[in-house]
Amino acid sequence: MQHEINTTTLHFLLRIAIDTKSVSAYAFQGVAWSEVYKLARKQGVLAVAFDGLMRLFEADEAFAKLFPQPLKLQWINAVFNIEQRYERQRAVCAELAEKWAEQGIKTLCLKGLAFSTYYPIANHRECGDFDCYLYDDYAKGNDIARELGAKVDEEMYKHSEIVYRKVMVENHRFIVAVRGGRKMKNLHKLLDNMARTEERKQLFDTKIEMPSKMFNALFMNHHSLTHFLSEGIRLRHILDWALFLKNEQNNLDWERFYALCEEFDMRQFVDCITAIAVEFFGIEITSPRVTTKSVYAERVLRAIIDDDTAVFSQGVGKWRTRLLLVRNLFASRWKYKAFANQGVVSKFISLVWGFVTHPEEE
């Protein structure tokens, strides 16, 4: 019961923050605010939830006075740190992109900073690594980063890891994990072509480019689906899509988008997180072309809130990470059945085959 109250409270704060719910009276009896804080932090929406809380403070002075002041200060400090990390990432990556541009290299932003432009307050979207794509200049970009004093690790086939001025940058050789088979190779080729031919725009006042709306829609959902299957996702992933819908639903070619989702086995997942965006975040869908219902929405939302299957954020070694991924693979059969059009055994075999043969080198 307590967990449900805390989840409902977080839901309330997030909807206020993104303007899908007006600031109104709310019965806060029984709310464990420290647990709401922990839940928001776990879900990657701590700063956005605080935006909603601040609006409540402004609307209800009595509530603001009654709110636990030590927790308020802790929350303010945490939000400040999120803002500082975001601004440092933006500044350092803009500097690196400028250095690459001087050598004729274009930098395309994947995820993170590109998605943050849809947020009411951009630097309240929590950032992880900076993911980028340099088209045909993957190796040249790594070399230039080394010349600038960065530490560059090229061990992974999909992307290198560049630590430049203490900021982690993933320089993608492939946009998606092409070891996933022929379909993933085709998805990489499709996104690569979109990146080269469709309209891009400058991100903020930097040399970093933001992909087209179609690229963002496809990559955002592919990335979320991949993580959902392997280790679960958080509310931040759903919020990314919810705010994309809020801003771009009338600017996207839905017929083409849905056709591509069908081709790359993403349609069921897209419908599901769209339903969650509508039901949980209160996004109003005005386009009749958008599907807003899914039989899986409630189960997926429950998994997002309750499951503890994270892998890549655990800081364990390479082989331990692989073992955890295999554990999740067999523990999440329902996910593959519902969303991947693939059984877990065939998925496991394809992963092992990809690891052994390195088909991306063909």
Side-chain angles (χ1 to χ4, degrees), residues 110-139:
L110 308 176
K111 307 185 301 175
L113 293 178
F115 296 171
S116 75
T117 61
Y118 295 116
Y119 279 61
I121 303 175
N123 65 8
H124 282 191
R125 183 194 185 273
E126 295 187 31
C127 59
D129 303 332
F130 176 73
D131 290 59
C132 63
Y133 184 58
L134 308 184
Y135 303 91
D136 300 319
D137 291 313
Y138 164 80

Side-chain angles (χ1 to χ4, degrees), residues 100 108-111 129-139 142 156-162 169-177 188 192 215 219 223:
W100 280 333
L108 187 75
C109 178
L110 308 176
K111 307 185 301 175
D129 303 332
F130 176 73
D131 290 59
C132 63
Y133 184 58
L134 308 184
Y135 303 91
D136 300 319
D137 291 313
Y138 164 80
N142 289 335
M156 293 187 66
Y157 84 93
K158 181 184 167 189
H159 58 75
S160 64
E161 293 184 346
I162 300 172
V169 176
E170 291 188 356
N171 173 22
H172 280 244
R173 180 184 177 194
F174 302 102
I175 300 173
V176 300
H188 164 74
D192 174 75
F215 183 107
F219 185 75
H223 177 261

